[in-house]
Amino acid sequence: QVQLVESGGGLVQAGDSLRLSCAASGRTFSRYGMGWFRQAPGKDREFVAAISWDGSRTYYADSVKGRFTISRDNAKNTVYLQRNSLKPEDTAVYSCAADGRPYYSGAKYYRAQEYRYWGQGTQFTVSS
C-alpha cells in the first residue's frame, strides 16, 4: 500500500504564492501518475492538476491554469503543486493521489475514480 502525506497548507493572503508537497512511500512512486484534487466546504471534490509518471505530460483545471504548476522529483518521492496569484476561491482541503497503475497515462486524469491511493489532505485558506 502506498502512503501519501501532504504538507504546505496554512493561511495566506490573496496574491501570495505557496507550494504544496506530497511525499510518497514505496519504491514504485516513479511509476505512477499523480494528481492533485481539492474540496471546498459545501462543494464537490474537483480536479486541480495531474502529471504523468515520467513528468512529460501535465494537465490543469481551467480555474487554475496559468497560476498553478505541478511537478515531481522522483529521487525525493515527492510531487509539488506551486500556486501563484492565490485567490480566496482557492481555499479548500487539498489532496494528492496516485494512479496505482505502473507507467500508465490515461485519458481521464481528471476523474478522481482513476486514482487508487490518496493522502489525508491538507487545509489551505486564502484570505482577501
Side-chain angles (χ1 to χ4, degrees), residues 53-68:
W53 67 272
D54 61 353
S56 63
R57 297 180 178 87
T58 58
Y59 312 90
Y60 298 94
D62 289 340
S63 60
V64 305
K65 192 175 300 181
R67 298 189 299 120
F68 289 13

Side-chain angles (χ1 to χ4, degrees), residues 97-127:
D99 186 279
R101 294 170 290 189
Y103 308 114
Y104 179 78
S105 296
K108 298 183 178 180
Y109 52 86
Y110 53 88
R111 297 179 71 250
Q113 293 85 345
E114 296 295 304
Y115 297 86
R116 180 178 180 181
Y117 304 107
W118 291 82
Q120 292 297 310
T122 182
Q123 176 68 51
F124 183 74
T125 301
V126 183
S127 63

Side-chain angles (χ1 to χ4, degrees), residues 1-6 21-34 72-79 96-100 116-120:
Q1 186 174 2
V2 175
Q3 183 178 6
L4 305 173
V5 180
E6 302 93 342
S21 299
C22 175
S25 64
R27 298 172 61 186
T28 59
F29 168 80
S30 62
R31 306 176 183 179
Y32 297 150
M34 300 290 295
R72 66 189 301 161
D73 187 339
N74 288 343
K76 298 181 179 180
N77 281 4
T78 303
V79 175
C96 68
D99 186 279
R116 180 178 180 181
Y117 304 107
W118 291 82
Q120 292 297 310

